[in-house]
Structures are given as structure tokens and as C-alpha cells.
Amino acid sequence: MARIGVLALQGDVEEHRASLRRAGAEAVAVKTREQLDDLDGLVIPGGESTAVMRLLERFGLANPIVQRVRSGMPLWGTCMGMIVVAHDVADMEQPSLDLLDVTVRRNAFGRQNESAEVDLSIPALGSKPFPAIFIRAPWIERVGQGVELLASRNGHGVMVRQDNVLGTSFHPELSGDPRIHAYFLAMVERARRLSRKRSTAA
Ligand code: GLN
């Protein structure tokens, strides 16, 4: 069974853990760098990006996360999590982790749209629309080379993947539809197969 960490500095941690368990994974709350060592994948949940960026630095978690993900561990950032891993953030001073080659803008869908549930077309998941819950959500303004755009809302990117990194502007852990958690676990299984192959070839 895959062991997935959910970064638990702040934000909607328990909802992700429950969704990951329902999708068939072990899901642990991660607060220290030691806890990163035996993970097969990491989720950075929604929350407040400026606060979490500061906490990641303070707890010495930023560099270890970057190293694990650069060496192949799958990571999924939802909402604030996608902001934290973006290459750059249009309206934030603090540097982000630069694991996903996109530019995002925080709170981008506007005040009247602070929170919304939208039927989103995500062709990679099949023809049934996904009930996507947006809460003061970021949008994606620039998609780098090698980044696959998986879904858009009102002409702005809201779901992307670059190799082992997945980003969603919305909150699949709140909608009860398990398909994106299953999609992420499939990325994790693929990465585990690859690393087993590498270790038997070595
Ligand atoms: N608006 C928040 C931020 O910029 C993100 C909101 C969320 O994660 N639901 O950090």
C-alpha cells in the first residue's frame, strides 16, 4: 500500500487524509523533515500560502521537499499547495518552491466568486464533469513547456501536471468525487515501479 504524506502545518489536512484512505492509500500527517523519509508521495493541501511558506522555511522542510520531488517523489498541491510549488506567484513577495513551471495568481477568481462549485470538464478523467470546489482560488496565468494543462475555468488554467507534480486550483478532498485522488495514486504507483526498476538495475 502506498504511504502518502499530507503536509500538516496548516490547512485542510484531515479531509485529504480521509480521501486518500478511501482511495486505498495509507495517509500520514507530516510536520517534520524526518517524516518525509519513508513517503511514496506528498500532498500539500489548501490553506494560507504566505503563512505556510514561512513555516516551511522555519521548520527546515522546504529544501528536503524540493530534493525529494526533484528525485522523483510525486507531489500534489491543491489550491494553496499549488501556489507553494509554483515557479512564480504573480502577487507574492516570498519565493515559492519552484517545482511546477507555472505562474499563478492568488485569489484570482474575484470577490463575488470567493467560493463556488463548478462542473469542470477534465478529459483525462473521462466525460463525466468533476464537481470542483473553488475557495479563494488561484488561477494559472502561464503554463511552461512540458506542463500539461488538464482543465480550465473561464479561460484560465486550474489543473496541470508536469511529470511527477500535479496542481489543482480547487479542492477535490471536499467534493466526495474520488477520481483525482485515484489519479494521483496512479502517479505514485508509476513512480514506485520506476524506482523499483532502477534499484534492481543498479
Ligand atoms: N487564498 C489562499 C492563498 O492565497 C489559498 C486558498 C485555499 O487554499 N483555499 O494562500
Side-chain angles (χ1 to χ4, degrees):
M1 192 192 275
R3 186 175 161 87
I4 310 297
V6 180
L7 187 72
L9 300 179
Q10 189 245 359
D12 53 345
V13 176
E14 289 312 314
E15 294 86 346
H16 262 300
R17 289 182 67 197
S19 303
L20 287 164
R21 281 197 209 104
R22 275 198 299 274
E26 187 185 347
V28 297
V30 170
K31 290 190 171 138
T32 66
R33 53 189 300 170
E34 291 72 30
Q35 289 171 316
L36 286 173
D37 288 345
D38 53 355
L39 297 181
D40 298 308
L42 179 69
V43 173
I44 303 188
E48 181 51 47
S49 50
T50 48
V52 166
M53 286 306 306
R54 274 198 293 274
L55 294 173
L56 280 171
E57 290 296 340
R58 189 179 310 155
F59 295 144
L61 277 161
N63 279 334
I65 290 175
V66 167
Q67 275 158 23
R68 284 297 310 275
V69 175
R70 293 230 164 104
S71 56
M73 181 179 74
L75 179 147
W76 173 18
T78 57
C79 201
M80 172 274 274
M82 182 174 75
I83 297 170
V84 165
V85 299
H87 172 70
D88 56 329
V89 183
D91 46 1
M92 189 167 81
E93 299 280 300
Q94 290 153 281
S96 43
L97 299 188
D98 190 11
L99 291 166
L100 179 61
D101 188 11
V102 294
T103 302
V104 299
R105 182 172 296 275
R106 298 172 61 211
N107 306 318
F109 285 101
R111 283 207 155 257
Q112 70 282 26
N113 238 330
E114 280 215 330
S115 186
E117 182 169 332
V118 172
D119 277 339
L120 198 64
S121 160
I122 308 179
L125 300 181
S127 56
K128 191 173 149 223
F130 191 89
I133 296 178
F134 290 82
I135 305 169
R136 297 188 309 285
W139 71 36
I140 298 163
E141 300 201 327
R142 181 193 61 86
V143 175
Q145 263 190 2
V147 178
E148 193 184 351
L149 182 61
L150 294 168
S152 299
R153 174 184 169 201
N154 303 344
H156 298 281
V158 293
M159 179 172 177
V160 284
R161 174 177 175 181
Q162 181 176 23
D163 303 322
N164 57 330
V165 181
L166 180 67
T168 53
S169 295
F170 49 96
H171 290 262
E173 76 285 6
L174 300 180
S175 66
D177 186 322
R179 284 180 292 164
I180 303 184
H181 286 83
Y183 181 93
F184 180 63
L185 291 183
M187 287 170 58
V188 169
E189 282 314 317
R190 189 171 161 273
R192 287 173 93 194
R193 274 200 303 277
L194 276 175
S195 83
R196 260 184 248 131
K197 232 188 238 164
R198 258 189 242 124
S199 57
T200 49

